[in-house]
Amino acid sequence: MKKIIISLICLLTIWEPATLFAQGSASRKLDAMLQIINYAYVDTANEEKLAEDAIKAMLKDLDPHSVYIPASELKDQNEPLVGKFEGVGIQFNIFEDTIMVTQTISGGPSEKVGIRAGDRIVKIDTSNVANIKITNSDVMKKLRGDKGTKVVVGIFRRGENELLDFEITRDKIPLFSIDA
């Protein structure tokens, strides 16, 4: 243990991290931090997870519409752009670990039952979906489904004292280039 501590002190002294972090671009600082973690941290670290967490933290400071979509979920996110799919007809972001409706698809099932942009989905059927580290693909698995099937969502809406439940019948969701 003594050898590890002495090695770590020597390594950090050689690198002069205060100088390293004070100068250079943000990307250099992140690269330097990852190098220090790789060489000096006592356990092995998952660099991919550290990088994704750093990206999410940076975007969180911007606005609710700036989100990071991991490559593993990008195909599912882009699927609606190719024409049509079956589901509830919303666009959403996960903001502060809650599903926030950013837009309902015009003429879609969610719009028809009264769901609005700004609504926060906290329950899907009987499952709590708030503050559980839900991913975009998890949300899509729960909300998409065959035409005619039903899903109940619990909505927190600003200005309402109680949770609002909406039963949505899934349908084909056509996507148009222009909403007119």
Side-chain angles (χ1 to χ4, degrees):
M1 183 66 174
K2 253 184 177 178
K3 288 180 183 179
I4 293 173
I5 293 172
I6 292 170
S7 297
L8 183 59
I9 291 170
C10 290
L11 190 59
L12 292 176
T13 304
I14 291 168
W15 261 336
E16 299 178 36
T19 305
L20 189 64
F21 289 124
Q23 300 171 357
S25 68
S27 62
R28 281 191 187 151
K29 290 177 186 179
L30 289 173
D31 286 342
M33 191 71 238
L34 285 173
Q35 284 180 1
I36 291 170
I37 289 169
N38 265 338
Y39 293 112
Y41 189 63
V42 294
D43 287 331
T44 55
N46 182 341
E47 267 191 66
E48 283 296 316
K49 182 172 179 347
L50 288 172
E52 286 196 8
D53 289 347
I55 291 167
K56 288 175 187 175
M58 285 186 277
L59 292 176
K60 185 178 179 183
D61 285 346
L62 297 179
D63 60 73
H65 306 292
S66 299
V67 294
Y68 171 70
I69 302 169
S72 60
E73 297 177 21
L74 188 59
K75 181 180 179 270
D76 291 336
Q77 286 288 315
N78 285 334
E79 189 175 282
L81 301 176
V82 297
K84 57 186 172 184
F85 62 96
E86 293 177 350
V88 297
I90 64 166
Q91 292 179 355
F92 67 90
N93 279 335
I94 297 174
F95 180 67
E96 294 181 357
D97 210 19
T98 304
I99 305 163
M100 185 171 67
V101 177
T102 56
Q103 180 179 351
T104 56
I105 305 298
S106 182
S110 292
E111 183 186 61
K112 288 177 183 173
V113 298
I115 294 177
R116 304 179 198 157
D119 285 349
R120 294 176 184 259
I121 300 174
V122 296
K123 272 180 31 184
I124 299 176
D125 287 326
T126 57
S127 301
N128 173 41
V129 292
N131 296 316
I132 62 162
K133 304 285 184 206
I134 196 162
T135 64
N136 288 317
S137 60
D138 293 335
V139 175
M140 287 189 279
K141 285 176 190 170
K142 291 178 180 290
L143 293 180
R144 284 192 182 169
D146 294 332
K147 178 181 177 175
T149 59
K150 296 180 185 294
V151 63
V152 177
V153 295
I155 298 281
F156 173 77
R157 182 175 287 162
R158 191 174 297 232
E160 297 289 333
N161 293 329
E162 295 182 24
L163 201 63
L164 306 173
D165 285 329
F166 292 91
E167 183 179 75
I168 307 166
T169 303
R170 294 178 181 103
D171 202 351
K172 286 193 178 199
I173 311 298
L175 295 177
F176 306 102
S177 300
I178 300 172
D179 186 16

